[in-house]
Every structure is written in C-alpha cells, then in structure tokens.
Amino acid sequence: MTKPVSPPRVLSPPTQAAAVPGHHPHWADDYKRILPQALALDPKELVPLNVNLMDVVALVLGKLPQIIPFREQAAAELPNFKLESFDELGAYAHAAGYAHALWCGTSEPLSKFGAWLDEGTKLRALLLADIAALRLHGLIPADSVGHFDARVGFRKLGFDLMTLALLLRQHWPTIEHKIPLALADLDRACELSERIIGAVSIRKEAPKVRAAAAEQRLRNFTLLVRAYEDVRRAIAFLQPKKGELEQIAPSLYTERKRKRRKPKASVETPPTEVTAHFEPLASAESHALTFASTPRLLQTSSTQAPFTTHPILPATGDPSYGSTDTERMVQ
C-alpha cells in the first residue's frame, strides 16, 4: 500500500512561490515580478547602499534555509507580523542581484571603449596595408577600394573596419595564404565594428541610462533590506537565546564593521624634563633683600602659625592630603 501524498502547503497569497528556496531558478523572473513594488517606493525611503550588494545577496541566499523554518512559528505567535517578509525574501535577493547585474552592464560599453578603439585602429591599418599590397599585385581590382583617410573619427573607424573586412572576405578564395591576415582577423574586425558603432551611439545617453539603473538597483536593495530586517526582528523575538540571531540571520553590516580599520594605538610621548634657570645673585645683601621682598611659598619651620583653610583644598590638618611638604603653603 502506497503512502498517501500530503497536499502541498499553501502559503499566504500572492507570494507563495517565493517561500520555497530555489523555486525561482531565473532571477530575471523575480526581478520583473518585484518591479512594481520597487517602482512604488518613495525616493525618500530608499536605503543608502553602503555595503557590497553582491555580498549581501550571497549572505541572504545562503542563510535562507535557516530562516524559512521560522515562518510557521511567526505565523502562530506573531499575528500582526507580515509573512510577506519571509515569503518574498528569496525573490527580493534575486531581484536585487539582477538589478546589480543590469547596473554593471550599463558601464561595460564605455569602460572598454578605449581598448576597442586602440585595437580597431591597429587592425584597420593592417587591413589597409594588406589591401594595398593585393592591389599592387593585381589580386584585387584597383577601383574596388575608395579613399581612406589616415585619421578618422570613432564612427568612421567602425564603418571602415566592416567595409575592409567584407572586401577581403569577398576575394578570400583568391587571396587566402597570400596575406598574413586570417579569417579570424576579419571576424574580429566585424565584431569591433559593431561594438564601436554601438558604443558611439549610446555615449550621449549612457549617463542617463546608468543613473536610472543605479536608482533601480537602490530600490531593489531597499526591498531586500526591509524584508531581511523584519525577519531578523521576528527571529530575535522567537529565538531569544543570546548569539543565536547572528548565527541564523547575521546583520548585513557585520562584515563592514569587521573591515573597518582599527585605530592606531596612541604613542605616549615621554615627559620633557624641564630644567629651572636661576640667575646668580650679586651678593649676600642682595640675596637677603630679594628674599625679604618675595612672598613666602614654602615654610620650613614647624613653629610658625598654622595655615588657613583653603576653600577648595583640604585643611592642613587633614592626613589624607599628601605629605607635609606639599601641605605647607602660604595663605
């Protein structure tokens, strides 16, 4: 007798699919589904992105199997808690990671544009040199190639690469093994042509596109942080043991705190020895006159009158006030 199969557990709609870790194999699907929530956020509510988003996504997805089991307990013991934070946590992580990938993609054409120009310029010179040699040998018609300037702009460079590569490909059965270039070089010329022309076309719009991608990434990051912090608070209530929370759902900013540079230990400067300077007295008489006209700072005789109590310092008779040498002060 076969064991009856229990019906699948139904979660709170409409986010039941996201509650199972790994249920959404395609991050783009989660990104598109979460997009309306991300666009509905007020720009003033966006959380600053001061951590590595790739590390955050990896941390959340790695801890998801330990977090999801607390959903049932939260549903039973926390009636006012939004279970959507548990159900959509994995989807939020996927969407944030996909938004980060889109943002990285906006900078790729411009970041490699200089390298494409350098490679394309050298390859264009090689193509022109081989075509000139083939024309001299009569292997290519003299009127098959127009005039090519030595210095060209970015867009013209792209079109020149495509034109020259196509010309050599048309005559390839005749010129094969007669020039240093190979078919792979012609393919590379066409590839560079497409990339250079495409990059030139989007250069003016690239800052706007990148800014929009950065804002969208921030919106998805905000949804992820909100859900994760809600889950952390729920787990902290359900699992009050000290240290358990950081094992189950560690803070997203823990790694950032660890990477902070420790303050350098202050080096104590040894006290500078001060040497008193005394002017020599001319004679014993001048010494006596000077001593008589100067207020007494120390008393060396125990027969003189006691000191008056100072409003701040303790009385002279107080045994807790240091030695007798430091107590002997003039009124």
Side-chain angles (χ1 to χ4, degrees):
M1 181 176 180
T2 60
K3 184 178 181 181
V5 180
S6 58
R9 181 166 56 99
V10 179
L11 302 176
S12 303
T15 58
Q16 61 183 39
V20 182
H23 186 82
H24 290 277
H26 303 294
W27 291 20
D29 295 340
D30 285 332
Y31 174 82
K32 294 177 182 178
R33 187 172 60 84
I34 299 300
L35 186 59
Q37 298 183 40
L39 294 176
L41 292 174
D42 190 333
K44 298 180 181 179
E45 300 175 353
L46 301 184
V47 178
L49 182 57
N50 51 9
V51 292
N52 189 311
L53 184 53
M54 294 183 293
D55 292 342
V56 170
V57 172
L59 185 148
V60 173
L61 294 178
K63 293 296 182 179
L64 202 58
Q66 303 179 44
I67 293 174
I68 292 301
F70 285 90
R71 183 201 184 274
E72 296 299 335
Q73 188 178 356
E77 301 183 23
L78 303 174
N80 296 327
F81 183 80
K82 295 181 179 180
L83 297 178
E84 181 183 6
S85 298
F86 278 98
D87 298 340
E88 295 283 26
L89 186 58
Y92 287 149
H94 293 160
Y98 190 80
H100 179 73
L102 292 178
W103 174 80
C104 293
T106 59
S107 62
E108 181 179 358
L110 295 182
S111 63
K112 298 182 178 180
F113 186 61
W116 293 342
L117 291 178
D118 293 339
E119 185 181 358
T121 301
K122 295 177 182 178
L123 186 54
R124 177 181 179 271
L126 293 175
L127 292 172
L128 286 174
D130 284 354
I131 289 175
L134 292 172
R135 290 173 62 185
L136 289 175
H137 289 84
L139 298 176
I140 289 180
D143 58 349
S144 60
V145 182
H147 177 70
F148 287 86
D149 297 329
R151 301 185 64 180
V152 294
F154 300 151
R155 186 175 302 175
K156 184 67 165 54
L157 172 63
F159 281 104
D160 284 356
L161 288 171
M162 183 178 297
T163 302
L164 297 173
L166 292 178
L167 174 63
L168 291 176
R169 189 178 291 274
Q170 290 174 2
H171 297 84
W172 192 252
T174 305
I175 64 176
E176 188 179 7
H177 305 305
K178 296 181 181 180
I179 57 175
L181 294 175
L183 276 177
D185 298 317
L186 304 184
D187 294 338
R188 180 57 178 169
C190 293
E191 181 182 358
L192 288 174
S193 172
E194 296 176 0
R195 293 188 176 185
I196 291 174
I197 295 174
V200 170
S201 302
I202 67 172
R203 280 184 72 193
K204 295 182 179 179
E205 299 298 326
K208 298 180 182 178
V209 173
R210 185 167 176 80
E215 181 180 346
Q216 184 59 46
R217 181 180 67 155
L218 200 59
R219 290 178 177 275
N220 288 102
F221 174 71
T222 300
L223 291 177
L224 174 59
V225 170
R226 284 184 174 182
Y228 188 75
E229 292 301 325
D230 287 345
V231 166
R232 273 175 51 85
R233 283 190 288 269
I235 295 177
F237 179 82
L238 300 172
Q239 187 75 21
K241 293 183 180 180
K242 186 177 180 181
E244 291 292 331
L245 176 62
E246 292 302 321
Q247 296 295 328
I248 301 170
S251 171
L252 299 178
Y253 302 92
T254 301
E255 193 66 22
R256 181 170 173 262
K257 293 178 180 179
R258 291 177 181 175
K259 293 181 180 179
R260 287 182 179 177
R261 186 177 299 178
K262 296 182 180 180
K264 295 182 179 180
S266 58
V267 180
E268 296 184 0
T269 305
T272 305
E273 183 178 356
V274 179
T275 304
H277 178 72
F278 297 95
E279 293 290 340
L281 298 177
S283 61
E285 294 180 359
S286 61
H287 180 275
L289 293 175
T290 303
F291 181 78
S293 60
T294 304
R296 298 184 181 181
L297 298 180
L298 296 175
Q299 289 187 352
T300 56
S301 174
S302 60
T303 60
Q304 296 181 0
F307 295 99
T308 304
T309 304
H310 194 276
I312 298 179
L313 299 176
T316 56
D318 189 352
S320 64
Y321 182 60
S323 62
T324 56
D325 291 338
T326 58
E327 291 178 356
R328 292 168 180 166
M329 302 179 66
V330 176
Q331 311 180 38

